[in-house]
Amino acid sequence: ATAKFGNTTYLFASTGRGGTTAWTFGADHKLKEAWQSKSGGNSPFYAGGLLYIYDPAPAGAKLRVFDAVSGKPVAELDCGTGHWNSPIVADNRIAMPEGAISGFAFARAGGRPGARGAGPGAPAAAAPATPPPGIQPGIVDIWRLP
């Protein structure tokens, strides 16, 4: 994620459970480390001066919120498990989808578990009314910003 504050451009990156780093991009066209956190997760998301990072840790998923310029933690929100989930920030609210499509091949192959080889022209079986384990459709956590 990137953000611009005044004349300073920030670049944010997270390396999963390895942490999060922010760099500034200067007039010399070089990156300089601005701050670092041991908290990591999926790709950072920037909105309204805050940096959001979803950590799907098996011990308890969290949406971590940092001040984008200083790197100081602002909040740590408990949320549902997931995989590559990303927050949505709009209208003073944070929406965080839950769940992971662990059976991605299931969804891609028209509802037939294990049908990875089904290509174009292959008849797709109807998807069952109940999703397989690991798929939790329609669950979204929502928080209101102050």
Side-chain angles (χ1 to χ4, degrees):
T2 61
K4 191 162 186 159
F5 303 97
N7 292 326
T8 305
T9 300
Y10 281 75
L11 169 71
F12 308 99
S14 185
T15 57
R17 297 213 175 47
T20 299
T21 305
W23 296 271
T24 56
F25 184 72
D28 60 358
H29 298 273
K30 293 183 180 181
L31 293 173
K32 294 179 186 150
E33 188 174 298
W35 58 264
Q36 196 173 51
S37 170
K38 290 184 180 182
S39 297
N42 292 345
S43 299
F45 179 83
Y46 170 80
L50 300 174
L51 189 70
Y52 300 83
I53 300 173
Y54 173 66
D55 181 1
K62 305 275 185 206
L63 179 60
R64 292 188 172 88
V65 184
F66 298 89
D67 177 274
V69 173
S70 71
K72 291 183 181 180
V74 173
E76 188 173 273
L77 307 169
D78 291 326
C79 54
T81 61
H83 186 67
W84 291 109
N85 308 25
S86 294
I88 301 161
V89 181
D91 196 25
N92 260 2
R93 288 173 180 76
I94 305 164
M96 186 71 206
E98 287 189 19
I101 301 177
S102 58
F104 183 74
F106 168 86
R108 194 177 80 219
R112 294 182 291 141
R116 293 175 188 253
T130 305
I135 297 179
Q136 300 174 351
I139 299 172
V140 178
D141 299 320
I142 299 177
W143 298 274
R144 183 183 304 266
L145 291 168

